[in-house]
Amino acid sequence: MNDNNQNDIKNIELEKKSKHSILEISKSYSISTTNLKKMEIIEKIKAADKRKREEEEEEEEEEEENQKANVNSSNKTIKFTNTDKMEPMEILFWKVFRNVLLKKNIFSSMDKRFLPSYDSSITNLIDSNQFSMLKEKVYENCRYLQFNCDNKELGISYLKKLFENIKDDYKFYRNFFKNDNHYNFEDKIPSALILSKNLQIYKLYINEFNYKPTKLDLLISIISGSNKFIKYLYELNPSISQFTSENLIQTENDYYNINENSTLKRLITICIYLIKTRTTEKATTTTTSTSTSTTTTTSTTTTSTTSTTSTTTTTTTTTSSESFKSVPTIEEIENFKEKVGKKRLKSIIQDPINYNYKRDENNEIKNFIKKLLYFYFPKFNRISNILYYCYFDDYDDDDTAATPTDFSNPDFELVFRFGNYELLESFETIDFYQLLPIIRYTTYSQDIDYNTECYKILFSHCLDKEKKLEFINQIIKILNQESEKDCWSYFFYMLVIHNDIELLKYYYSNGKVGVVEQLFSFGSHPIFPPIYYINSIDMLEYLFNNHINYFKESRIGGNHYSTNFKNVELLKHFELLLNQSKSNSTSSQNHFSDGHFCFISHSINKFEFRGNKNLLNFANYFASNSKYHDEKLDYEELFILLTSIEPSSQVSICFEKLRNLAINCMKYKRKNLFLTRALERGLKYTNHYLKFIDWMFNSYNQEKEDACNFFDKGFYHFHNLFATGRYSFINNYIKNITSNKYFIIGTLGKLSDLINESTPYLYETNNFKFLNWFLTIIKYYYYSSSVEVIQKKNIKTIVDSFMKVIIQRSRLQVLETIHRKFDFILKKDSDGGVFDIKTLKSYLFTSLRIGSICVSKFLFQFININKKEFQMNSNEYSRSFFSNKFNK
């Protein structure tokens, strides 16, 4: 629909137009027309057009008034006469951005030098919650969007988050599903839609994109407890219900199985499905056997009646003695759901609220869950040990006669979780390695959660106080025979984790614990710093007043206290107690005369907790307090932590704070933190860090801070200059050393590597300014007659490395710019280009292997390969997408 038609919409008799024309007009207003009749669509068009006209008139009137009165428009109230169907945030947005002065002020603070480009990365946009930006790009059918993710499970997580945050925007999803940007994950879209519970878009995917639901969809709907999806799939295809319990339970993926961390709702949803399946199967069997039953003789019937009576009696007896073994009914389950309520249905099965520890209490809820579990696990071949001991380990209950014996010898963890002192008697020694939070070094260290609750093992499933005391008595009995004295401290740590001061006092007064200090390993296995186990102010105060050595830092010499608390609030409270004890005139003792020890320098496995908010709060706290700025502080690690995140409402990182760290690090350790940060490869520069570098250039240049020598010359310095848009400095420098081409070429290679690792978005920012500079210099020296052959080979290596990174990351916009301005890179050497055909083909093969459809389509314009090469160098998605190209 053209602009004239839009402007004259009020004069058009929409009712006389065809429905096809009406649909075309509705698209220009971004109106969803699903399941709407023609007249309903027309009403929506008229309402949208009316609102648009009123907004334009208001804008014109406001502009005229501002010009006449010459007043500050920030004091003006903008009125909306029609806000139908507009969300509150949308109204606020327009109130701000229709105000000329406010809009200018906002955009004046946005420096384009420090705005990373997200054009090619859908996952970056999702990660940073930039859903509005993603919507705009998808609306415009942006060709540069790429779903750059190598991991299938992670890909589902990204899609799930997308479908949860953009609910029913039909225009967005019509464009998104048509695009090739997510081709590698096309088969994961239905699963992600179900897990995100976005039924409307799931229907759109079926109705408009020819997707046919599978039994896997039903399975995921069941295990995720999504009743509306289950109902829809049944209505859509009744035959899909022929999905047996074996399909459900005997799946290879543990995610689909019930375990202790499954919710009560999930267990109930699966059981309802199994009951319905079982009923269907029985009905079929009954129908088949009807004819045989009706031929029975009278005498046989009499005998059968007697037998039936006997059987009924037996069944009644069995039901009363093993009630949990009877098959639950739908009615029973519905009554149970009503009894426990929606909130409790979301609890996990191993939650103590779902089962009791005292045998004399009413265990109605526990018994019904037990019944559901027994029905779900017909042979108990998959039930977890924890669930077994939660619901089936009743020693005074006759119902356990038929339960399996596989779980009668639990490991250390289960004995300690349930406080089972009877079973503890069988142990002569205690392997605390299985019980304490051991530090495990992994490749994916950043996934470790420093605040994890998984190490809260002791009495996690025991609420009986008497049972706990009996257990402690048994522990003391075992430890009395233990030669290793540190074991007394290990169990002390476990009681601190349990956060029960009374139990801790009982253990200490009855055992031979002695002085408790921090131990950082069990044998050869490192453990979390024990001070981290403190969970409350009450426990902190008890330990301070009774076990002051618990806080002593033993990893270094002297008399220091550790700062390795769980959160900053606990550290602050400890320091308050310390100051109070020092100021107390009646106390002559001076705790920790050597002061503090900042744990940042001993954060486990280097930066594995970088994503942890508590650690970042600590880093911010240490950086903000000058009392910590001495020779003991690990400035390098602290600086890297603080420059690896963007500031937020929780963590404020001012430039002066970072500058003081840099100055003190040079003062105490003679180390340059800017160089340290540059050497941390693979860790991208944040927007905030780039602004900080720019601030340092402007406020504290080399002359002002000569003693600190912040900015070393060399390619690291060049990188900082490029990242902050200071091209004139670099160009002037290069002019002065033009004759030293070896240095320049070598610097280009190192610079390219550093940018790929730390600021990969630099190629695209500022209208490809750096890319143009970089390739212009490359071209000049490659075709220069003064450059030797060996140096030209080095330039080829630099460009080859650059191209591999660009293609691996699917940077289509960069490739198009190269083709448009520097086509010598994509030409064969025989045509005046840099590379031979073998190298060019390798780029296409890379894009085909990673399934980058958009990049492969682009490269096919310049590079030809045969069918055999295509088959050998493509993944399944590329083969599927480009198969017609080679089947002609």
Side-chain angles (χ1 to χ4, degrees):
M1 178 175 147
N2 59 38
D3 291 338
N4 290 333
N5 284 343
Q6 282 190 353
N7 294 332
D8 297 332
I9 193 72
K10 65 180 182 180
N11 299 321
I12 298 176
E13 295 183 10
L14 296 175
E15 291 81 359
K16 293 183 179 180
K17 287 187 169 292
S18 66
K19 187 169 182 179
H20 177 75
S21 300
I22 296 297
L23 290 172
E24 288 299 314
I25 295 173
S26 67
K27 289 180 181 178
S28 64
Y29 287 93
S30 302
I31 295 173
S32 173
T33 59
T34 307
N35 298 326
L36 292 182
K37 297 179 180 178
K38 179 181 176 181
M39 291 307 298
E40 291 173 331
I41 300 173
I42 290 173
E43 290 302 317
K44 278 200 168 190
I45 293 173
K46 289 182 176 179
D49 183 70
K50 181 182 178 183
R51 184 167 65 225
K52 180 182 176 183
R53 288 176 179 279
E54 289 174 346
E55 289 173 356
E56 290 173 349
E57 290 171 0
E58 286 178 10
E59 193 169 3
E60 290 173 3
E61 291 173 3
E62 182 186 342
E63 188 67 24
E64 290 175 4
E65 289 176 9
N66 285 341
Q67 291 175 358
K68 290 178 182 179
N70 192 25
V71 295
N72 187 342
S73 60
S74 64
N75 297 323
K76 188 173 184 65
T77 302
I78 302 172
K79 295 181 179 180
F80 284 79
T81 58
N82 189 341
T83 58
D84 294 343
K85 299 183 180 179
M86 290 182 71
E87 296 180 1
M89 289 303 295
E90 186 179 356
I91 296 173
L92 291 174
F93 172 84
W94 283 112
K95 282 187 175 183
V96 171
F97 279 86
R98 285 172 53 195
N99 186 305
V100 178
L101 291 183
L102 279 178
K103 183 177 179 180
K104 285 183 179 179
N105 286 335
I106 290 171
F107 281 101
S108 66
S109 65
M110 296 183 181
D111 194 330
K112 291 183 179 180
R113 291 175 300 165
F114 311 125
L115 293 179
S117 172
Y118 292 103
D119 274 355
S120 62
S121 179
I122 294 175
T123 53
N124 279 353
L125 286 166
I126 294 173
D127 258 340
S128 55
N129 296 314
Q130 297 289 338
F131 294 102
S132 296
M133 188 183 296
L134 177 58
K135 286 170 73 171
E136 289 178 13
K137 293 182 182 299
V138 172
Y139 289 158
E140 297 167 0
N141 286 313
C142 179
R143 295 181 299 109
Y144 307 120
L145 284 172
Q146 181 69 20
F147 201 95
N148 50 337
C149 178
D150 298 327
N151 185 288
K152 286 294 181 183
E153 295 303 319
L154 189 59
I156 290 182
S157 298
Y158 279 121
L159 287 171
K160 179 176 178 288
K161 185 177 179 181
L162 171 64
F163 298 149
E164 286 172 340
N165 284 274
I166 303 179
K167 287 287 187 182
D168 54 358
D169 190 329
Y170 293 96
K171 179 182 178 181
F172 171 84
Y173 285 113
R174 285 188 177 101
N175 285 1
F176 182 78
F177 292 148
K178 286 177 184 176
N179 204 300
D180 302 329
N181 47 45
H182 59 274
Y183 196 77
N184 283 11
F185 290 87
E186 204 164 74
D187 59 329
K188 303 301 178 184
I189 288 175
S191 300
L193 283 168
I194 295 169
L195 292 172
S196 64
K197 295 181 169 53
N198 195 332
L199 181 59
Q200 295 306 314
I201 302 304
Y202 182 76
K203 290 180 178 179
L204 175 75
Y205 198 55
I206 291 173
N207 296 332
E208 298 190 19
F209 294 89
N210 301 318
Y211 174 69
K212 295 180 180 179
T214 65
K215 290 184 178 181
L216 178 62
D217 291 358
L218 179 60
L219 171 62
I220 296 174
S221 301
I222 293 168
I223 60 98
S224 62
S226 182
N227 292 316
K228 62 181 182 180
F229 269 91
I230 297 172
K231 182 180 179 181
Y232 175 71
L233 289 169
Y234 275 140
E235 292 173 351
L236 196 67
N237 183 9
S239 64
I240 205 171
S241 64
Q242 297 173 358
F243 195 48
T244 65
S245 56
E246 285 74 18
N247 293 123
L248 187 64
I249 295 176
Q250 296 176 4
T251 173
E252 294 180 0
N253 193 334
D254 288 339
Y255 175 73
Y256 302 126
N257 290 320
I258 290 294
N259 56 44
E260 62 271 13
N261 292 313
S262 302
T263 63
L264 199 51
K265 181 181 178 182
R266 174 178 288 189
L267 174 64
I268 286 174
T269 303
I270 293 178
C271 285
I272 288 175
Y273 173 77
L274 293 177
I275 292 168
K276 288 181 177 179
T277 305
R278 183 187 182 111
T279 304
T280 304
E281 291 172 353
K282 280 189 174 182
T284 305
T285 304
T286 303
T287 304
T288 305
S289 60
T290 300
S291 58
T292 306
S293 300
T294 55
T295 59
T296 309
T297 62
T298 304
S299 60
T300 306
T301 302
T302 305
T303 306
S304 177
T305 303
T306 305
S307 175
T308 303
T309 305
S310 174
T311 304
T312 304
T313 305
T314 305
T315 303
T316 304
T317 304
T318 304
T319 303
S320 66
S321 65
E322 298 180 354
S323 57
F324 70 91
K325 294 183 179 180
S326 62
V327 176
T329 64
I330 301 294
E331 184 180 1
E332 286 177 332
I333 293 177
E334 292 300 329
N335 291 337
F336 176 75
K337 286 168 61 178
E338 187 174 345
K339 180 180 180 64
V340 298
K342 290 183 178 180
K343 185 176 180 181
R344 191 157 174 179
L345 286 174
K346 295 178 181 179
S347 65
I348 59 176
I349 305 174
Q350 68 168 328
D351 193 315
I353 66 170
N354 290 323
Y355 63 94
N356 290 306
Y357 299 88
K358 296 181 179 179
R359 309 296 168 83
D360 56 347
E361 291 183 357
N362 184 358
N363 287 329
E364 183 181 350
I365 291 176
K366 172 185 174 180
N367 288 336
F368 194 77
I369 297 174
K370 179 179 181 178
K371 185 174 187 174
L372 294 175
L373 288 170
Y374 190 83
F375 175 65
Y376 178 81
F377 297 102
K379 295 180 181 178
F380 285 95
N381 58 338
R382 290 209 176 204
I383 193 169
S384 70
N385 285 9
I386 287 181
L387 283 184
Y388 174 78
Y389 281 99
C390 282
Y391 291 96
F392 295 91
D393 187 32
D394 298 331
Y395 294 108
D396 57 354
D397 191 341
D398 292 337
D399 289 351
T400 58
T403 55
T405 57
D406 297 349
F407 307 101
S408 59
N409 294 314
D411 56 20
F412 279 107
E413 181 178 324
L414 282 174
V415 170
F416 276 72
R417 284 190 181 279
F418 289 90
N420 196 320
Y421 57 89
E422 293 100 335
L423 288 173
L424 185 62
E425 293 177 354
S426 62
F427 298 126
E428 295 181 0
T429 59
I430 299 172
D431 187 0
F432 283 97
Y433 171 67
Q434 297 183 31
L435 306 171
L436 290 169
I438 302 298
I439 298 167
R440 294 176 174 84
Y441 297 92
T442 65
T443 304
Y444 303 101
S445 56
Q446 66 274 16
D447 295 332
I448 298 176
D449 184 3
Y450 202 34
N451 287 315
T452 180
E453 299 292 310
C454 66
Y455 61 78
K456 294 185 176 180
I457 292 173
L458 182 64
F459 303 142
S460 65
H461 292 69
C462 178
L463 299 180
D464 190 328
K465 194 66 171 274
E466 295 301 320
K467 195 174 180 181
K468 291 179 182 180
L469 292 173
E470 288 290 342
F471 189 86
I472 292 174
N473 288 334
Q474 189 62 37
I475 285 287
I476 293 173
K477 182 179 178 181
I478 294 173
L479 293 183
N480 279 330
Q481 302 170 7
E482 178 66 59
S483 60
E484 179 57 60
K485 64 181 181 63
D486 287 344
C487 289
W488 290 98
S489 294
Y490 293 139
F491 190 72
F492 189 94
Y493 299 158
M494 296 188 74
L495 286 168
V496 171
I497 294 172
H498 185 54
N499 201 34
D500 190 319
I501 295 173
E502 294 304 315
L503 291 179
L504 195 61
K505 289 179 179 179
Y506 180 84
Y507 171 68
Y508 189 79
S509 61
N510 289 277
K512 301 175 183 178
V513 184
V515 177
V516 181
E517 295 181 340
Q518 292 200 77
L519 302 173
F520 297 94
S521 65
F522 177 77
S524 60
H525 307 290
I527 62 174
F528 276 30
I531 201 171
Y532 183 81
Y533 303 155
I534 301 172
N535 292 301
S536 67
I537 295 292
D538 290 340
M539 179 61 76
L540 171 63
E541 291 182 348
Y542 167 76
L543 292 171
F544 185 89
N545 293 322
N546 298 276
H547 303 280
I548 191 67
N549 286 306
Y550 188 89
F551 301 94
K552 184 176 180 180
E553 177 56 60
S554 61
R555 287 175 287 188
I556 59 174
N559 188 19
H560 301 85
Y561 67 85
S562 174
T563 58
N564 210 154
F565 289 89
K566 178 168 288 189
N567 55 56
V568 173
E569 287 67 32
L570 287 171
L571 172 59
K572 289 179 179 178
H573 190 77
F574 172 80
E575 291 177 337
L576 175 64
L577 293 175
L578 197 60
N579 291 333
Q580 289 174 349
S581 71
K582 289 178 181 179
S583 62
N584 188 346
S585 58
T586 62
S587 175
S588 59
Q589 72 180 118
N590 183 13
H591 297 311
F592 310 114
S593 55
D594 295 326
H596 61 270
F597 172 73
C598 286
F599 79 95
I600 289 290
S601 57
H602 277 261
S603 61
I604 300 108
N605 201 15
K606 207 172 182 182
F607 306 116
E608 70 179 13
F609 303 132
R610 184 178 287 114
N612 180 272
K613 291 180 181 178
N614 280 336
L615 184 70
L616 294 173
N617 286 333
F618 273 112
N620 196 41
Y621 180 67
F622 294 146
S624 305
N625 289 271
S626 58
K627 70 177 182 180
Y628 292 107
H629 296 184
D630 54 24
E631 68 282 353
K632 293 176 288 188
L633 183 64
D634 191 330
Y635 295 94
E636 293 175 283
E637 200 161 328
L638 191 59
F639 190 78
I640 292 173
L641 277 167
L642 291 174
T643 56
S644 301
I645 60 166
E646 297 288 359
S648 66
S649 57
Q650 289 78 32
V651 180
S652 173
I653 308 169
C654 67
F655 294 157
E656 289 287 353
K657 193 183 297 182
L658 295 174
R659 172 183 169 271
N660 290 338
L661 286 177
I663 291 174
N664 286 319
C665 184
M666 190 64 71
K667 175 183 176 182
Y668 289 110
K669 302 195 175 183
R670 304 305 302 170
K671 289 186 177 180
N672 186 325
L673 289 183
F674 293 90
L675 180 60
T676 298
R677 183 64 176 82
L679 292 173
E680 190 64 26
R681 294 299 180 89
L683 190 61
K684 294 181 178 59
Y685 284 11
T686 61
N687 189 29
H688 186 261
Y689 182 54
L690 290 175
K691 289 182 178 180
F692 169 62
I693 294 174
D694 186 60
W695 178 80
M696 288 293 295
F697 273 129
N698 291 330
S699 306
Y700 300 96
N701 58 33
Q702 182 67 29
E703 289 72 35
K704 291 180 181 178
E705 299 290 345
D706 188 59
C708 290
N709 191 24
F710 283 137
F711 302 116
D712 276 344
K713 293 296 183 284
F715 71 93
Y716 293 110
H717 181 56
F718 290 159
H719 179 227
N720 287 336
L721 290 171
F722 279 122
T724 54
R726 288 172 164 76
Y727 288 83
S728 58
F729 290 91
I730 300 168
N731 291 331
N732 289 334
Y733 182 77
I734 289 179
K735 285 179 183 178
N736 296 329
I737 60 167
T738 305
S739 58
N740 193 349
K741 51 183 175 290
Y742 303 105
F743 173 79
I744 294 174
I745 293 171
T747 300
L748 287 174
K750 295 175 182 177
L751 185 62
S752 176
D753 291 339
L754 184 56
I755 288 173
N756 290 335
E757 293 287 341
S758 302
T759 53
Y761 40 78
L762 196 58
Y763 295 118
E764 294 157 319
T765 52
N766 273 338
N767 197 26
F768 302 93
K769 190 170 184 177
F770 172 74
L771 182 68
N772 288 326
W773 182 93
F774 177 69
L775 293 181
T776 298
I777 296 290
I778 289 287
K779 186 175 183 179
Y780 171 79
Y781 281 102
Y782 184 77
Y783 291 104
S784 172
S785 57
S786 63
V787 176
E788 296 86 347
V789 174
I790 189 168
Q791 290 300 319
K792 289 190 176 184
K793 286 184 178 179
N794 291 337
I795 292 174
K796 273 189 177 183
T797 302
I798 293 170
V799 179
D800 180 49
S801 176
F802 160 75
M803 286 293 291
K804 285 176 180 176
V805 172
I806 294 301
I807 290 170
Q808 188 72 36
R809 295 176 180 174
S810 300
R811 308 292 280 273
L812 177 61
Q813 200 169 10
V814 174
L815 288 171
E816 289 183 340
T817 304
I818 291 171
H819 171 58
R820 190 169 62 253
K821 295 184 177 182
F822 305 96
D823 64 340
F824 70 95
I825 292 176
L826 290 172
K827 283 182 179 178
K828 292 183 290 185
D829 50 6
S830 57
D831 297 327
V834 176
F835 301 119
D836 55 30
I837 188 61
K838 182 179 179 180
T839 303
L840 292 175
K841 281 186 177 183
S842 72
Y843 299 150
L844 177 57
F845 294 154
T846 297
S847 68
L848 289 170
R849 279 194 292 267
I850 65 175
S852 180
I853 303 301
C854 60
V855 171
S856 297
K857 287 166 70 175
F858 173 79
L859 293 176
F860 268 126
Q861 299 176 78
F862 320 102
I863 306 165
N864 293 319
I865 59 175
N866 58 43
K867 186 174 182 178
K868 183 179 180 181
E869 290 173 319
F870 170 71
Q871 293 289 345
M872 290 177 61
N873 294 282
S874 302
N875 68 9
E876 57 178 308
Y877 303 104
S878 296
R879 281 195 293 272
S880 174
F881 190 89
F882 292 107
S883 58
N884 291 336
K885 184 179 181 67
F886 293 91
N887 290 332
K888 295 178 181 178

